[in-house]
Amino acid sequence: MSKRSFMRGRRPSLERLRLQLARPDALFSHALLGLVTGLATGIVIVAFRLAVEGMQALMLPDHGENYEAIAPLWRFLLPVLGAVLIGLLFLRFAKGLYVLGVARVLERMEYHQGHMTPRGFMLQFLGAAIAIISGHSVGREGPHVYLGAASGSLLGQWLSLPNNSIRTMVACGTAAGISASFNTPLAGVIFALEVLALEYSITGFIPIILAAVSANALSVSLFGSAPTFVIPPFLLTSLSDLLPVLLLGLFAGAISAAYIQLLQSIAGVSKPLSFFTRVCLAGLAAGAFGVLVPEVMGLGYDSLGDLLTQTLPWTFLLGLLIAKLLATSTSVGLGIPGGTIGPALFMGATVGHLTGVMAASLTGADASYVSFYALLGMGAMMGASLQAPLAALTAVVELTHSPGVIMPGMLTIILAAVTSKQLFRKDSLFVTMLRANGLDYRSNPVVAMLRRSGVTSAMNTRFSRQETRLSREQAQRLMSENLDWIIVDRDRKPAFAMPGIAIASHLSQAGQAEEIDLLEIPADRLELTPVHLQATLQEALDILNREGTEALYVTRPIAPGINHVYGVLTRGRIESAYRY
């Protein structure tokens, strides 16, 4: 079979799929897209991890994150060289695209229907890989989310799917990115729902679950399913054990607020500088921290493992916390394309460990239990800085396979989130980074509902497209078809929509007139504006408000200069869809 014949056979099935996916209740089709998106994301995340961990294994002795074992001069030069490479990469290819990670996913979902670009995908993959390999104090989870979301978006755009489906695929990629990154499929699902402010529904939930599961399966097949961190079991035996947990929640909430404020301040102060200058400054700062406190370099999972399994002196912990806080805030605030979730977990473990050491010295408690407080601190810091408490709680349970953390974890995570949000008035890291870079974000439940449906789910398909003048015979034939709308062309383009019943009314009063001018007969004529077949109902409503027209015709180019019209969409149909 020739390629041309294959494409001709493929188009009708794709056309049916697009029309079906515009409906918010197209469960099976969206579930299939979720599965495919998860597999695509899993492949991308596995490739990213293999590239980063392979380079680290070649560069560093003993194990992949052993930056402490290399000479101080190299600990300084590596981040500087990495920053220069990132600066040159973005200088050549960015074209104004400097904000990536979860913040960019939020912005694309809010203002661009989830449409992302190959350029952003490439910049995130290469930029984050260089940043992590060169020892910048950033995480891989934010880049994984972006790469997953972009994988879903680009796949949906390649298939020319409706925008409501592309948004679903972005959410699926977000969940799959967290799932494959942490080996935490449930946390990935909840993260996508909490951070992207998605409404819980079976139709929206099932594709995201399938995406998280399929991406996790690929990751587990290569990296194994063992818990990321192993800690000794601990059970609360009395109410007095809750006192350190409460103090930890307050402490973690305050540190989260400081983390967000530092990122905001550094991004704001450095904004007048060129991107290349900013990342070079970030390289110098990361090099200085690498010389002084090498434990903060890279992802820091080796140091995080020590925080969860050993008892460390409080002076070292305090210095490590301050260094990680400053190193990450400087790198990310100055534009290094790395993540903020991993560093939040690192700082949380440090805060928790420090709280456990203090509790042991003041109350005489068993010092071996500091690992339990370190685990609680991870959840508290993640939940407060991301304003995603349920995702944080689920993540720490899945990371360590420790269900005993659930009850105290709920308490400390909520207390930390409330402290950061209410006491210090801080939004999440992602929203803060968007606003610090001159972008904005808002979430509206009515708009969210309209985005879940494509225009084809509400359009009226009982129409006929006609030129301005009709013969009496043509008019009678149209009348017999019992149409709802007549689209009237002007200069070979749809210009007005008029009710089909208007022709019948005119024929009953026009005697034996042989010709009818559709622009002259008495009728309500609605001025038309085009809306693309891919658009959501929210986009359609925005076009009606912006253009000041009364109705839309749903269209898609099928050949150069040829547009196919699928239906008529009025404001009333959009409002009816919302009320339903």
Side-chain angles (χ1 to χ4, degrees):
M1 180 184 292
S2 68
K3 181 178 179 182
R4 183 174 297 176
S5 299
F6 171 76
M7 290 303 293
R8 278 200 301 266
R10 179 170 170 261
R11 284 194 191 105
S13 59
L14 267 178
E15 193 80 349
R16 287 194 298 270
L17 177 64
R18 292 175 187 127
L19 294 174
Q20 183 185 26
L21 287 170
R23 296 177 57 85
D25 57 353
L27 177 57
F28 179 79
S29 299
H30 278 123
L32 183 61
L33 287 178
L35 188 64
V36 172
T37 301
L39 291 172
T41 299
I43 292 170
V44 170
I45 300 307
V46 165
F48 182 89
R49 287 189 60 178
L50 289 176
V52 170
E53 293 171 15
M55 283 299 298
Q56 288 178 322
L58 290 174
M59 292 170 46
L60 304 173
D62 299 329
H63 61 84
E65 286 200 280
N66 195 16
Y67 291 96
E68 296 91 333
I70 62 177
L73 178 60
W74 278 110
R75 295 205 300 266
F76 177 79
L77 290 178
L78 265 180
V80 173
L81 293 173
V84 172
L85 280 176
I86 292 170
L88 293 174
L89 175 70
F90 276 71
L91 193 65
R92 174 65 180 83
F93 296 106
K95 296 184 179 179
L97 182 59
Y98 299 118
V99 180
L100 298 170
V102 183
R104 175 61 72 176
V105 175
L106 287 174
E107 189 264 345
R108 299 308 293 183
M109 285 286 276
E110 180 64 29
Y111 298 107
H112 303 280
Q113 304 300 330
H115 283 235
M116 304 171 82
T117 63
R119 176 183 290 109
F121 181 93
M122 180 271 292
L123 289 172
Q124 181 69 93
F125 192 103
L126 295 178
I130 294 169
I132 294 169
I133 293 168
S134 62
H136 283 267
S137 180
V138 295
R140 70 186 181 199
E141 297 76 23
H144 284 184
V145 168
Y146 185 93
L147 293 173
S151 298
S153 176
L154 293 173
L155 180 60
Q157 291 176 66
W158 179 68
L159 294 172
S160 298
L161 299 183
N163 287 343
N164 64 305
S165 296
I166 291 176
R167 291 175 59 83
T168 297
M169 295 175 76
V170 169
C172 289
T174 297
I178 290 290
S179 175
S181 178
F182 277 142
N183 187 19
T184 54
L186 183 55
V189 172
I190 296 172
F191 180 90
L193 293 174
E194 275 192 307
V195 174
L196 298 182
L198 303 176
E199 182 187 34
Y200 172 80
S201 66
I202 294 298
T203 307
F205 201 56
I206 287 178
I208 294 174
I209 289 179
L210 289 174
V213 169
S214 56
N216 185 246
L218 276 177
S219 178
V220 165
S221 67
L222 268 82
F223 303 111
S225 59
T228 307
F229 306 108
V230 179
I231 66 167
F234 174 76
L235 294 175
L236 295 175
T237 57
S238 68
L239 290 178
S240 62
D241 291 337
L242 288 176
L243 180 59
V245 171
L246 296 173
L247 293 175
L248 173 57
L250 295 171
F251 193 9
I255 297 299
S256 297
Y259 183 29
I260 295 168
Q261 182 61 54
L262 271 172
L263 277 169
Q264 185 179 16
S265 299
I266 291 171
V269 169
S270 63
K271 193 175 179 181
L273 302 176
S274 69
F275 181 81
F276 188 81
T277 302
R278 282 188 282 139
V279 294
C280 286
L281 289 174
L284 292 172
F289 283 113
V291 172
L292 298 173
V293 192
E295 291 83 1
V296 304
M297 296 185 72
L299 301 175
Y301 277 5
D302 56 339
S303 300
L304 187 54
D306 292 340
L307 288 167
L308 289 168
T309 55
Q310 302 177 21
T311 302
L312 304 171
W314 71 268
T315 50
F316 171 76
L317 292 168
L318 188 60
L320 185 64
L321 175 61
I322 294 172
K324 189 68 175 180
L325 179 64
L326 293 175
T328 303
S329 300
T330 303
S331 288
V332 178
L334 289 173
I336 295 296
T340 56
I341 301 174
L345 291 173
F346 186 104
M347 285 183 269
T350 310
V351 169
H353 196 119
L354 190 58
T355 303
V357 168
M358 293 169 59
S361 63
L362 294 175
T363 65
D366 190 342
S368 65
Y369 291 151
V370 294
S371 59
F372 176 74
Y373 294 108
L375 180 60
L376 291 180
M378 289 170 60
M381 188 77 180
M382 178 179 171
S385 56
L386 275 57
Q387 288 297 306
L390 191 55
L393 177 63
T394 311
V396 295
V397 172
E398 289 188 297
L399 281 170
T400 60
H401 296 186
S402 301
V405 77
I406 292 177
M407 191 280 283
M410 293 170 69
L411 182 62
T412 191
I413 289 171
I414 292 302
L415 186 57
V418 169
T419 299
S420 179
K421 181 73 174 179
Q422 296 298 316
L423 185 60
F424 293 98
R425 303 292 180 184
K426 295 299 176 186
D427 287 316
S428 75
L429 275 172
F430 310 132
V431 174
T432 299
M433 287 305 297
L434 275 177
R435 291 173 178 164
N437 286 276
L439 302 171
D440 199 4
Y441 177 76
R442 63 182 186 273
S443 180
N444 184 300
V446 176
V447 171
M449 195 290 307
L450 292 173
R451 286 172 175 165
R452 290 200 302 273
S453 301
V455 290
T456 59
S457 68
M459 70 182 181
N460 190 321
T461 58
R462 295 177 55 81
F463 74 96
S464 178
R465 187 175 173 184
Q466 300 293 329
E467 295 294 333
T468 303
R469 294 183 177 275
L470 297 178
S471 67
R472 187 177 186 87
E473 181 181 351
Q474 289 175 310
Q476 288 173 336
R477 187 177 67 251
L478 288 176
M479 184 179 66
S480 67
E481 293 176 5
N482 196 25
L483 300 170
D484 291 330
W485 293 100
I486 304 297
I487 293 180
V488 184
D489 279 10
R490 175 183 283 176
D491 299 326
R492 298 183 179 180
K493 292 182 180 179
F496 300 97
M498 57 186 291
I501 197 173
I503 293 181
S505 299
H506 179 73
L507 287 177
S508 66
Q509 301 171 12
Q512 298 300 314
E514 292 299 322
E515 190 176 64
I516 297 174
D517 188 336
L518 294 179
L519 296 183
E520 296 295 334
I521 67 174
D524 292 328
R525 277 174 284 272
L526 307 182
E527 186 178 354
L528 287 175
T529 299
V531 62
H532 197 279
L533 179 74
Q534 286 183 273
T536 64
L537 291 181
Q538 179 253 325
E539 291 177 277
L541 191 59
D542 285 345
I543 292 173
L544 286 174
N545 293 333
R546 182 176 66 248
E547 300 295 332
T549 51
E550 300 162 290
L552 304 167
Y553 64 95
V554 180
T555 183
R556 184 176 74 88
I558 57 174
I562 302 175
N563 295 315
H564 180 65
V565 176
Y566 292 83
V568 177
L569 184 62
T570 63
R571 187 183 296 271
R573 297 277 292 195
I574 296 174
E575 292 173 351
S576 295
Y578 170 69
R579 286 196 296 270
Y580 171 76

